[in-house]
Amino acid sequence: MELKERLEAERRGAPFLVYRDAEERQVLRSLAGDERVSVGRDEAADVPLPFDAEVSRVHAELTRVASGWTIADDGLSRNGTFVNGERVVGRRSLADGDALRFGSTVALFRAPGARTESTAIATASRRPPDLSDAQRRVLDALCRPTAAGTRATPATNREIAAELFLSVDAVKAHLRTLFEKFEVGDLPQNEKRARLVDLALKQGLVSRRDVSG
């Protein structure tokens, strides 16, 4: 049912956010027709996250600029706003598939009708790291939920271990190597995975079509 809802939202072509509420239910929040969208713990926010104690009452704001969207924190939040594991300073443009983190809540920004040529050019200059077959399988499994559109967060270590018939310790070891190869090892622990998924997708190491097939 959740995947069907996501696919229907994508077919409509309008940008939207997808995240989980307090009961882990999928929430799709369309941005169609909006110019500004507030995010915060306040029930009056356009994207209310009252269940997340790490989110400020008024945490961040998304703004439409021409045909795209930007996000800004501007000091509104106590704990900061992050895009693909990087803290937002000032205003930042959003691209389809970006992982936004407010407190401990991760929301996926989808813009299925957006043009992506400029993003492809910007990321093509960085040569993807060489990976072993085992590392590639772990990376595929990590990215699968986000890339396939079933949820906003990457797979857990236990989910990866179950899929690949590995021990959790083996998965952790592979992920540590991947974090270093993708140069995200210095990020906070709870941000490394989302950033790794973002880089793998943008560099073409993981195909949305392959992992969802």
Side-chain angles (χ1 to χ4, degrees), residues 16-182:
F16 64 93
L17 298 176
V18 55
Y19 59 96
R20 298 278 173 180
D21 65 13
E23 282 73 43
E24 287 298 309
R25 295 172 299 195
Q26 175 175 268
V27 178
L28 300 179
R29 206 295 184 179
S30 175
L31 303 178
D34 289 316
E35 297 296 327
R36 293 179 183 274
V37 174
S38 60
V39 180
R41 201 172 72 251
D42 195 314
E43 292 277 8
D46 298 314
V47 179
L49 305 174
F51 52 86
D52 191 336
E54 296 180 21
V55 172
S56 298
R57 290 182 64 82
V58 180
H59 195 101
E61 183 180 69
L62 283 78
T63 305
R64 181 192 296 275
V65 177
S67 61
W69 282 85
T70 65
I71 189 168
D73 187 312
D74 292 334
L76 292 172
S77 72
R78 180 179 59 193
N79 295 320
T81 298
F82 297 81
V83 176
N84 302 324
E86 296 180 357
R87 187 162 188 156
V88 173
V89 178
R91 189 166 294 277
R92 173 167 175 159
S93 296
L94 296 178
D96 182 35
D98 279 347
L100 318 181
R101 184 167 68 80
F102 315 103
S104 60
T105 300
V106 176
L108 190 68
F109 173 78
R110 291 304 321 275
R115 295 172 63 86
T116 58
E117 289 85 344
S118 59
T119 301
I121 292 171
T123 57
S125 60
R126 181 174 177 178
R127 183 178 180 273
D130 294 325
L131 304 178
S132 68
D133 289 343
Q135 290 163 3
R136 188 175 294 276
R137 288 194 294 272
V138 169
L139 186 61
D140 284 347
L142 175 74
C143 297
R144 195 177 311 283
T146 301
T150 57
R151 70 173 192 244
T153 54
T156 66
N157 291 343
R158 290 188 180 279
E159 288 171 338
I160 297 171
E163 177 181 333
L164 302 181
F165 301 100
L166 296 172
S167 68
V168 171
D169 285 341
V171 171
K172 289 180 178 179
H174 284 306
L175 285 174
R176 282 195 295 269
T177 301
L178 289 168
F179 292 151
E180 294 306 316
K181 286 193 172 187
F182 282 84

